[in-house]
Amino acid sequence: MNDTVAESIAKIVCDKPEGITCEECFSKSSGKICENYGHCRILEKTKSQLDYVVAPTDRNIFLKACAGSGKTEVVGLKAAYEIKQWNNKHSGIAFLSFTNDATNVIRERVKEFSNIEKIYPHFIGTLSSFIHGYIVQPFAYNIIEYNGKNRDFSLSIIDENTKVYQDHWLNHFKCKIPFISIKGNRNDIFANQIGYNIIKKDFYIKLNNSFYWLKDYYRKETVQSHINRKRSEYPEYWTESYFRKCFVECKKDFWKHGYVTFDDINILASKVLMSEFGECIAKRFPLIIIDECQDLSDNELHVIHILKKLGCNIHFIGDLNQSIYEFKMVEPKNIEAFTSDFEQYTLDNNFRSCTEIVCLSNKLINRRTECRKSNDIFNDKSLIYVEYEKPIEAVEKYNRILKKLKCENWNNRILVKQNSLRKILVNNTNDEISSQEPLIVASQLWKEKTPNNMTLSLELAGKQISRWFGGGSSPKNYYRPDTISSTFAWRIYLMNILNEIGKDEKLSRLDVTYGEWHRQARERLNSILLKYYRILVYYDDIKDRNIDNLVNGNFRVSSGNSNKKIMNNEKPLSLNIPVLTIHGSKGCTFDTTLVISSSTKASDGGHWKEHWLMGNDEQKRIGYVAFTRAKYLLVLGLPVLSDKDRLIIESYNFVQGEKILDM
């Protein structure tokens, strides 16, 4: 029966001739993707996978897919299958996910399976680009009464973290209601810091990396104290409804001038869909397939809900156990409720991980998943834990284990919960050297051209160079001086300098002492800084800055380093294994992983015991995502354990790393 379904799919997707089997088709293939893989890629699919590929398009379906079940591969095959037999030139299917990487995989699979490159009238892309491109941008200006500029009605997306000191025009969109801190200090609230949750029907404020629901904020003691003082002057004001009114007015004015935040786009999409334009959009895309549906925010889910009411059929593909975006208002229970009347399909075979990793993940989320591949290369050594006093020690032990098991050249990754820990590990330098010699460290990291190292390199270079421009305080904008208005221009400036240092015969040498490097820098660095300053000056509020001698007298070798060779650091300047956050690793597959726990439970979901093994649902899901990225080997980096904690981690079949190294 499975062969019959596979052959019917192959007939449409691969143009398999009538009257021959998939095996016979494969044996006669020439230049096709299956030939390159050494087997028929359709015939290898399980019955559950193929059942979804041929599932009807006129029904609402939820494909529940566990980690490693090949769901993106299946979505790609489904896309090829439906696109190949689609016969309506005026409407199509929207295949959506949440990252460009994921949508690129789907697009590649369509090409591989069916050799189709032009997919119009269908759409393959991110959910946000779909909502923005097909719903908000063409129609929203009518809803918000935006008159456009020179007949251009495009909306400008403003990040919620944009500060007034960076973009002074934000002062025009200041809310009447102030923000009162815990200490009673008063700050302004701007339109880009205000959001609204459609499902909860409440406003929220995002300010300085903190989040406040309006209902909770209104009841704060300091806010009530402020209200009581104002109420004597304006008794009709300062109710909760007045707060809401002020937020609405502020946001509407923001929109009317053509500005929106990323979350505003979802609000506006809902308004457009409930207008006369909604039916047109629903007819344009009668079927919407969403991969990684567990990542849908409340507002995104509301948009999909309206599309469903307008007649769109919805296919959800995902794993609610991988929902780890609670801080972005992603609620798995809301998705579960939304899909309660959907037809249910299931993929519960893990093709990625070895038996021990699959068993661990099952134990973590109380779910039964079958291991379907013989990835048991290391058998009972597939789960290893190492202890550390400093996180870098876990990395060093991981490297030794990889060498011991002869897999140091495999596809290996280090995963952490906190971005701050990622930065420390990516740098992997002696902290003292990094703080004393940021530009030297930056120039070395820049050479490696990996995204992580380049980001850190820009931060370190900015930290050093900004000192000569008056100083900058935030690594988020590469320590851009306050007197320079454009972070983008500042970043380009730093990139140009790092590129020039890399090309400079003297400054690119690392077999010299710090003292010698500084002497060369004092002679050569000024000309490099000046070369690109004439571009940066257009974004500089201080036009008369004297930069003729920025470096001289200000750039000195740090104490005790003068005679030390740069290449002779005790630790390497960069990490040879990429470091990702757990959130950033979602959807990825690696041969081996080192997952490093935070040292305390105060890490907001990053502690091995308090969170990943014994925490709340969200925290356990973070652990589940982290543990299921590896195929063959999972190493867990833990802070030094008590005897009791060793018994706990070993009860999950983890083996002590030292025992492996001593073998």
Side-chain angles (χ1 to χ4, degrees), residues 5-18:
V5 177
E7 287 175 12
S8 67
I9 294 171
K11 185 179 175 181
I12 292 171
V13 173
C14 309
D15 298 319
K16 180 183 75 65
E18 197 73 61

Side-chain angles (χ1 to χ4, degrees), residues 370-610:
E370 298 291 334
C371 180
R372 288 297 300 267
K373 262 193 175 180
S374 57
N375 286 340
D376 299 334
I377 295 175
F378 302 117
N379 297 316
D380 60 353
K381 302 179 187 64
S382 299
L383 301 177
I384 298 173
Y385 75 93
V386 296
E387 299 177 46
Y388 69 80
E389 290 185 358
K390 294 183 178 180
I392 194 65
E393 294 172 9
V395 177
E396 293 165 351
K397 291 178 180 180
Y398 178 50
N399 275 316
R400 289 168 57 200
I401 289 169
L402 294 178
K403 288 180 181 178
K404 182 78 174 181
L405 299 177
K406 298 182 176 11
C407 52
E408 65 266 36
N409 296 320
W410 291 11
N411 183 20
N412 309 311
R413 290 293 188 279
I414 300 168
L415 308 183
V416 297
K417 171 63 172 62
Q418 300 92 345
N419 199 47
S420 57
L421 178 55
R422 183 194 68 81
K423 286 185 177 182
I424 291 171
L425 293 175
V426 168
N427 187 14
N428 193 23
T429 60
N430 182 293
D431 290 338
E432 186 180 357
I433 292 294
S434 184
S435 63
Q436 292 175 345
E437 314 286 357
L439 188 56
I440 297 178
V441 174
S443 68
Q444 295 172 71
L445 292 173
W446 188 254
K447 290 181 178 181
E448 302 190 15
K449 301 299 180 186
T450 64
N452 288 338
N453 284 343
M454 291 176 79
T455 299
L456 185 60
S457 175
L458 289 169
E459 289 178 14
L460 291 171
K463 186 177 183 180
Q464 176 75 69
I465 295 170
S466 68
R467 296 171 187 170
W468 305 321
F469 286 77
S473 59
S474 175
K476 289 184 178 179
N477 60 18
Y478 313 107
Y479 296 92
R480 174 181 57 78
D482 293 344
T483 55
I484 296 171
S485 58
S486 170
T487 297
F488 177 75
W490 176 249
R491 183 177 66 187
I492 298 298
Y493 182 64
L494 297 176
M495 290 173 62
N496 285 331
I497 290 168
L498 289 166
N499 284 329
E500 288 287 334
I501 290 175
K503 292 187 291 186
D504 188 284
E505 184 182 350
K506 300 288 186 181
L507 297 180
S508 61
R509 289 186 62 184
L510 303 179
D511 59 344
V512 297
T513 64
Y514 286 103
E516 177 60 27
W517 198 94
H518 280 77
R519 283 191 290 275
Q520 296 293 341
R522 282 193 288 273
E523 293 177 10
R524 311 168 82 88
L525 198 54
N526 265 347
S527 61
I528 295 174
L529 294 169
L530 288 166
K531 180 179 178 180
Y532 295 100
Y533 182 70
R534 63 179 179 267
I535 302 171
L536 185 66
V537 74
Y538 291 106
Y539 302 90
D540 193 342
D541 291 341
I542 301 178
K543 306 301 183 185
D544 59 347
R545 175 184 283 126
N546 182 6
I547 65 159
D548 290 341
N549 291 290
L550 282 179
V551 177
N552 290 338
N554 293 311
F555 193 33
R556 300 185 181 92
V557 65
S558 24
S559 177
N561 288 334
S562 185
N563 296 318
K564 288 183 181 178
K565 271 197 172 183
I566 297 173
M567 289 293 289
N568 285 349
N569 285 324
E570 293 179 4
K571 297 177 181 178
L573 283 165
S574 64
L575 205 60
N576 60 349
I577 302 174
V579 186
L580 302 176
T581 61
I582 295 171
H583 286 83
S585 73
K586 229 162 73 62
C588 298
T589 298
F590 310 111
D591 293 333
T592 83
T593 58
L594 166 66
V595 182
I596 302 181
S597 163
S598 66
S599 56
T600 67
K601 62 180 180 180
S603 64
D604 189 27
H607 190 266
W608 71 275
K609 183 176 73 173
E610 300 293 337

Side-chain angles (χ1 to χ4, degrees), residues 172-179 186 188-196 203-205 214 217-218 226-227 230 234 236-255:
H172 297 294
F173 307 103
K174 189 188 300 181
C175 187
K176 294 177 183 177
I177 298 300
F179 181 83
R186 173 174 171 156
D188 293 320
I189 302 173
F190 299 92
N192 63 313
Q193 298 168 331
I194 299 170
Y196 185 76
F203 284 95
Y204 59 85
I205 308 165
L214 177 56
Y217 172 71
Y218 181 77
H226 176 79
I227 289 170
K230 290 291 183 179
Y234 312 102
E236 71 275 25
Y237 298 161
W238 305 104
T239 61
E240 189 174 336
S241 61
Y242 176 68
F243 273 54
R244 291 177 178 276
K245 181 184 175 184
C246 290
F247 278 22
V248 169
E249 289 175 352
C250 183
K251 186 62 82 170
K252 281 186 174 179
D253 188 43
F254 191 60
W255 292 347

Side-chain angles (χ1 to χ4, degrees), residues 363 646-654:
K363 191 173 182 179
R646 283 192 192 95
L647 290 174
I648 291 173
I649 194 63
E650 289 174 6
S651 71
Y652 285 81
N653 293 329
F654 279 88

Side-chain angles (χ1 to χ4, degrees), residues 294-427:
Q294 71 275 358
D295 294 339
L296 284 163
S297 70
D298 284 351
N299 288 349
E300 290 166 338
L301 188 62
H302 190 259
V303 172
I304 304 302
H305 175 71
I306 301 172
L307 285 165
K308 180 172 175 282
K309 285 177 68 175
L310 289 169
C312 293
N313 291 298
I314 309 296
H315 288 196
F316 275 8
I317 296 95
D319 181 5
L320 296 184
N321 290 306
Q322 295 189 60
S323 178
I324 56 174
Y325 291 104
E326 194 173 77
F327 63 91
K328 291 171 61 176
M329 289 176 283
V330 175
E331 293 281 356
K333 63 182 180 184
N334 292 336
I335 296 167
E336 201 163 21
F338 181 76
T339 58
S340 59
D341 62 345
F342 283 30
E343 289 188 17
Q344 306 282 318
Y345 287 67
T346 304
L347 301 181
D348 53 10
N349 293 312
N350 187 317
F351 295 89
R352 174 190 297 153
S353 302
C354 64
T355 305
E356 288 216 326
I357 293 176
V358 171
C359 290
L360 171 68
S361 64
N362 286 343
K363 191 173 182 179
L364 203 63
I365 59 170
N366 195 27
R367 177 178 179 175
R368 179 154 183 84
T369 301
E370 298 291 334
C371 180
R372 288 297 300 267
K373 262 193 175 180
S374 57
N375 286 340
D376 299 334
I377 295 175
F378 302 117
N379 297 316
D380 60 353
K381 302 179 187 64
S382 299
L383 301 177
I384 298 173
Y385 75 93
V386 296
E387 299 177 46
Y388 69 80
E389 290 185 358
K390 294 183 178 180
I392 194 65
E393 294 172 9
V395 177
E396 293 165 351
K397 291 178 180 180
Y398 178 50
N399 275 316
R400 289 168 57 200
I401 289 169
L402 294 178
K403 288 180 181 178
K404 182 78 174 181
L405 299 177
K406 298 182 176 11
C407 52
E408 65 266 36
N409 296 320
W410 291 11
N411 183 20
N412 309 311
R413 290 293 188 279
I414 300 168
L415 308 183
V416 297
K417 171 63 172 62
Q418 300 92 345
N419 199 47
S420 57
L421 178 55
R422 183 194 68 81
K423 286 185 177 182
I424 291 171
L425 293 175
V426 168
N427 187 14

